[in-house]
């Protein structure tokens, strides 16, 4: 056990949301067989890791209870792990993470970066697994004061944080999250950082964070980018005042994957691995980066 999060080649995390209401695939994979079939398609299309979530974090989403969340993700994770597919569990709850790890999850992806559940760091430290710490600054009145609780990690559409220097502030807050994780016993070599595009951030914040990838990478940790089909791509591609709907954002998503790969990220989290796999292959050929290839 143990060891750094390494490996050449940009990792592709393929998304399976076992939820009723995720913005791009909500309701499609609530059934275990449908989720498994989709996960297998993601792997066939080039996903290196399948990211399974049982709770939507879209603006306005209501939190589901822990039992419901675990009941959605654990059977899917168990089956995929049995088949040898590397799985990450997308959860803010230590109880769900522990059940997912028991079922064979190899990564924990926590959109609260360890702040929604103080037990999460202990669960991850005990399992000694890679942990994706995402940035999401809560906008509740406790913002900036902390400590936060689970009820702080929800947001409303259009609600964005006030940043003067979004790259600097997100970098500083991610490093504080790293310090908390390490203080709780997590091996720093197991941490992956994610700027949390779209989580209470405006389109301009997201673009600044993408422009600022060299700064984020300069923090010394692997970086994951999750831009897939997000609203800032829909507004970039708006026509006649209407955002492009999620299904029409795939080419833009692949473009972000290519540029992120060229910048040197560890991984991208996407709904359609095939498009990003090809885009990343182009980026790696262009930059001469060593890749394992995804074909
Ligand atoms: N985005 C969503 C959910 N989980 N996890 C990480 N690490 N990074 C992200 O950007 C991220 C995430 C929201 O998108 P979805 O509803 O399509 O899953």
């Amino acid at each position: 056990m143990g060891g750094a999060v390494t490996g050449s080649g940009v990792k592709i995390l393929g998304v399976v949301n076992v939820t009723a209401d995720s913005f791009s695939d909500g309701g499609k994979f609530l059934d275990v067989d449908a989720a498994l079939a989709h996960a297998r398609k993601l792997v066939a299309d080039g996903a290196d890791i399948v990211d399974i979530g049982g709770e939507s974090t879209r603006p306005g989403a209501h939190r589901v209870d822990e039992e419901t969340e675990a009941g959605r993700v654990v059977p899917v994770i168990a089956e995929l792990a049995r088949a040898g597919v590397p799985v990450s569990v997308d959860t803010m709850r230590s109880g769900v993470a522990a059940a997912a790890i028991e079922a064979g999850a190899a990564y924990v992806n926590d959109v609260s970066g360890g702040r929604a559940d103080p037990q999460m760091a202990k669960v991850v430290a005990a399992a000694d697994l890679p942990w994706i710490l995402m940035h999401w600054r809560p906008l509740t009145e406790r913002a900036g004061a902390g400590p936060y609780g689970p009820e702080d990690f929800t947001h409303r559409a259009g609600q964005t944080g006030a940043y003067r220097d979004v790259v600097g502030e997100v970098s500083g807050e991610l490093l504080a999250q790293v310090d908390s994780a390490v203080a709780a016993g997590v091996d720093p070599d197991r941490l992956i950082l994610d700027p949390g595009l779209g989580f209470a951030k405006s389109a301009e914040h997201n673009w600044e964070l993408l422009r600022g990838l060299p700064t984020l990478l300069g923090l010394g940790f692997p970086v994951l980018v999750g831009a897939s089909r997000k609203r800032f791509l829909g507004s970039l591609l708006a026509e006649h005042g209407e955002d492009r709907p999620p299904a029409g954002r795939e080419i833009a998503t692949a473009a972000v994957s290519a540029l992120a790969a060229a910048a040197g990220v560890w991984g991208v989290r996407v709904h359609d691995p095939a498009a990003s796999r090809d885009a990343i292959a182009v980026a790696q050929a262009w930059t001469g980066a060593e890749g394992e290839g995804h074909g």
Side-chain angles (χ1 to χ4, degrees):
M1 297 283 279
V5 179
T6 54
S8 59
V10 177
K11 297 272 184 262
I12 298 184
L13 273 75
V15 180
V16 181
N17 286 312
V18 192
T19 61
D21 54 349
S22 289
F23 78 97
S24 142
D25 57 359
K28 279 166 78 177
F29 310 121
L30 262 178
D31 167 73
V32 174
D33 289 335
L36 283 171
H38 189 61
R40 291 194 188 102
K41 171 151 183 8
L42 295 176
V43 172
D45 284 350
D48 300 289
I49 300 164
V50 177
D51 188 43
I52 314 269
E55 178 177 58
S56 173
T57 49
R58 70 177 289 165
H62 293 290
R63 296 211 61 184
V64 296
D65 63 59
E66 177 162 338
E67 209 181 319
T68 305
E69 189 189 346
R72 287 173 173 179
V73 298
V74 167
V76 181
I77 293 171
E79 195 57 43
L80 290 173
R82 239 193 311 275
V85 175
V87 174
S88 68
V89 60
D90 185 345
T91 186
M92 296 188 262
R93 288 191 171 107
S94 62
V96 176
I101 291 165
E102 180 76 31
Y107 296 77
V108 175
N109 174 24
D110 180 351
V111 297
S112 82
R115 296 193 291 180
D117 182 342
Q119 298 305 316
M120 184 66 102
K122 291 178 193 135
V123 166
V124 175
D128 193 22
L129 291 179
W131 187 14
I132 299 161
L133 295 180
M134 200 192 80
H135 178 271
W136 182 2
R137 183 194 284 179
L139 298 179
T140 47
E141 56 280 9
R142 270 188 293 195
Y148 299 111
E151 66 282 6
D152 293 307
F153 291 90
T154 55
H155 55 158
R156 289 191 294 278
Q159 195 188 21
T160 61
Y163 293 95
R164 265 168 291 106
D165 163 18
V166 71
V167 176
E169 290 170 50
V170 167
S171 301
E173 289 168 33
L174 281 171
L175 286 180
Q177 290 171 225
V178 167
D179 286 347
S180 306
V182 172
V186 175
D187 179 351
D189 284 346
R190 299 297 235 167
L191 296 175
I192 298 157
L193 305 185
D194 181 332
L197 301 178
F199 281 80
K201 299 182 181 84
S202 68
E204 190 46 41
H205 293 147
N206 297 332
W207 291 118
E208 277 186 54
L209 286 164
L210 288 169
R211 262 176 238 130
L213 275 177
T215 303
L216 294 169
L217 286 157
L219 301 176
F221 293 87
V223 171
L224 175 70
V225 165
S228 189
R229 300 184 182 167
K230 282 186 178 163
R231 185 157 162 230
F232 75 110
L233 299 179
S235 59
L236 177 76
L237 304 172
E239 279 169 316
H240 313 298
E242 296 277 334
D243 281 6
R244 175 87 60 87
R249 302 173 188 169
E250 206 46 60
I251 298 171
T253 299
V256 174
S257 293
L259 291 164
V265 299
W266 169 82
V268 294
R269 179 184 180 279
V270 297
H271 297 88
D272 177 5
S276 282
R277 173 190 56 192
D278 290 358
I280 290 167
V282 170
Q284 291 189 323
W286 184 301
T287 58
E290 288 270 321
E292 294 165 333
H294 286 281

